[in-house]
Amino acid sequence: MRIIVCIKSVPSTVEVQFHPETKTLMRDQVASTINPFDLYAIEEALRLVEAHGGNVTVLTMGPPQAEQQLRDALAMGCDEAILLSSPAFAGADTWATAYTLAAAIRQLGPCDLVLCGKQAIDGDTGQVGPGIANHLGWPQITYVSRIRSVDPTNGRIVAERLLEEGTEVVEARLPALLTVLKDINTPRDPNPRLLRRARRAEIPVWDESALRGVDKRFLGLSGSPTQVVRVFSPPRREGEIKWVTGGSPEEIAEHLAEHLHREGLI
Amino acid sequence: MAWLVIDTERCIGCGACLEACLYGALALEGSIAVVNERCTACGACLPVCPVEALSLPSQAATHAEAPISPAEARGVWVWVEQFQGRAASISWEMMGVGRRLADALQVPLTACVFGYSVGSIAREAIAYGADRVFLADDVTLAAYRTAPYAHLLTALAREHRPEILLLGASARGRDLAGAVATHLHTGLTADCTGLDIEETTRRLLQTRPAYGGNIMATIITPNHRPQMATVRHRVFEVPVPDWERHGEIISVTARLLEEEEIVTKVLDFIPSSEEVNLAEARIIVSGGAGVGGPEGFSVLRDLANVLGAALGASRAAVDAGWIPYAHQVGQTGRTVRPDLYIACGISGAIQHRAGMGTSKVIVAINKDPEAPIFDIATYGIVGDLFEIVPALTAHLRHRLRR
């Protein structure tokens, strides 16, 4: 079976702060990394092709430097990588990103499954996966905690998804798109024997001219329905910490209960 | 090479773009903004420049025509999520904020109720503030599935052209919103924590956290309709239902997919215990590395039972295999916003704080007085959780007579 994994290059930490006086972001040279949720998608794809045969293509849209995250994915065992990169894609919101990734997936030819992480840790939207599925007209199964079975011959997949009230078991027709949770597996480390190959691999860079049938008006910033108008630091939590003390655990418990009672919490 | 182009003739060196950049890719050199290789060309800086000195040059000058234009779109809609015939509380939170937005715009509020034998939910929706309900009651809609729900909501929105469509940021809400926004070709803002109307333009100002809550962004959808947003649990109050309110219930079963056209099936549902519904919980008792093992969680479970609370955990506890992932709070788990969060033996790493930092009251119990969790706690107790928590459980059991 053929599986395409969509990944995102994200900052390795989301700990960003504004300088209180200059109001600028205080960020040291932050390295980029594969979005943590996407590692589970890569791992699941590799396991599926190990069980059923086939190959894994890893796909990202981003600036030229995102190539490094594709090499990291190749070092885990993915067979092929494609970088979607062009000034025309720049500034894309989730709609335009999903539109572009879907066009690339169509371009890559027949495939059984697209896997994505449930969301990226920088934007935190979780919208690109469903966006791709619906641009392609494929079924989606989001928040997958386990794939129970895949039957590429009959084109069926059964997966468990984690909802607020419990776990739902869903069957879908292939090709389908799944977004996966951390619970699904433990990602492997890069394989030392693959590092050299990953470093040397030719990674095709596709721009808008490589994507057949895309409407250029739907790409990048100008193709994005949403606009960011303001970015600001979140309000700080108000008030100082109140230390709850006492001569014994029982006394501390009583003092805390008093506070919670006064706050109307118990 | 950065793609962002800075017009040095226009730049006045105000630094507004530095503040907007999420990647630290902009700096001031002399009195001119300069961009470095960290630029990802995300475009966040473009709208903040007061003199339009920033551009991504390859961008087409005109926006594609939107399928539903702002001029013709009117009304505020809320999708009412239900599970096994019961409305999710987040749906009524949406009705509360939806009512406020509809009143500000002086338009009706419409609820979309889809399911099987859910007529009573339609009447509830009116009590919670809807002027009109689109009710689709059909066996194909019994359990939530993306395709039939998205098909129906998309068709209704195309026909009736709302200006705003709100959904709860639950698993189902986010699943559905992503599908519908794609088909309607409109903007969708995920996980909002603030929604307001800009009076002069009728635009919806959608404020949301990003970067694990380290940054807030306000987002608009200027040219496409409906303006779609998913909204986090427990941000907005559930309004007091008024059972005397009148409203119109319109049956919309004509627009459904046939079962044969739907390529997914729900085969089974395995309910989790009540203690896991973290998103809706008013109180959460949560444990971290300091809990020491799976048996340690029984101490926390006792406290949770007395309080009627959900049981949470830090990544450390989940990764150690002490408690299932469904309990995990934090960046790679769930984001929660309870009235009371009791953190037991949790150091409070940034990734954990990202998932619970907006809880109304935080109690931290930790042996280490330097633990970062105390930086955001309302009440702090330095001590052994295995002494404090059982004492608290005993005291509350007595006090609450449970």
Side-chain angles (χ1 to χ4, degrees), chain A residues 91-158:
Chain A
D93 73 354
T94 55
W95 196 97
T97 301
Y99 178 77
T100 313
L101 287 167
I105 289 165
R106 231 180 265 118
Q107 185 95 353
L108 281 164
C111 108
D112 301 286
L113 202 56
V114 171
L115 297 181
C116 304
K118 84 154 181 164
Q119 65 191 52
I121 58 158
D122 52 356
D124 281 332
T125 74
Q127 285 168 190
V128 171
I132 295 169
N134 287 278
H135 279 298
L136 293 170
W138 293 2
Q140 70 192 37
I141 311 179
T142 51
Y143 308 104
V144 171
S145 56
R146 189 177 157 221
I147 295 177
R148 280 196 178 180
S149 65
V150 183
D151 180 353
T153 320
N154 295 308
R156 295 276 153 193
I157 184 164
V158 178

Side-chain angles (χ1 to χ4, degrees), chain B residues 22 25 27 59 79 111 153 198 236 245 287 334 350:
Chain B
L22 304 179
Q59 298 295 331
W79 175 65
L153 191 51
E198 188 177 59
F236 297 104
R245 278 192 91 250
R334 290 192 193 277
I350 178 85

Side-chain angles (χ1 to χ4, degrees), chain B residues 57-77:
Chain B
S58 71
Q59 298 295 331
T62 53
H63 281 263
E65 200 175 307
I68 301 175
S69 84
E72 60 186 0
R74 281 293 178 274
V76 177
W77 286 21

Side-chain angles (χ1 to χ4, degrees), chain A residues 8 61 88-102 123 125-129 131-132 135 217-228, chain B residues 40-44 56 59 63 181-182 185-190 206 208 219-224 226-228:
Chain A
K8 185 177 185 187
M61 182 177 109
F89 303 152
D93 73 354
T94 55
W95 196 97
T97 301
Y99 178 77
T100 313
L101 287 167
T125 74
Q127 285 168 190
V128 171
I132 295 169
H135 279 298
R217 297 171 308 161
F218 295 167
L219 301 174
L221 186 73
S222 56
S224 295
T226 62
Q227 267 178 30
V228 178
Chain B
T40 66
C42 72
L56 291 166
Q59 298 295 331
H63 281 263
T182 305
H185 191 176
T186 192
L188 166 60
T189 306
Q206 307 160 108
R208 70 180 300 267
I219 292 169
I220 57 168
T221 299
N223 303 316
H224 297 67
Q227 303 160 89
M228 285 184 64

Side-chain angles (χ1 to χ4, degrees), chain B residues 364-396:
Chain B
I365 304 168
N366 205 298
K367 274 185 184 167
D368 175 9
E370 302 295 319
I373 190 77
F374 288 125
D375 296 345
I376 59 164
T378 327
Y379 298 102
I381 296 171
V382 179
D384 183 349
L385 74 92
F386 290 104
E387 292 176 2
I388 307 290
V389 174
L392 187 59
T393 307
H395 179 84
L396 291 172

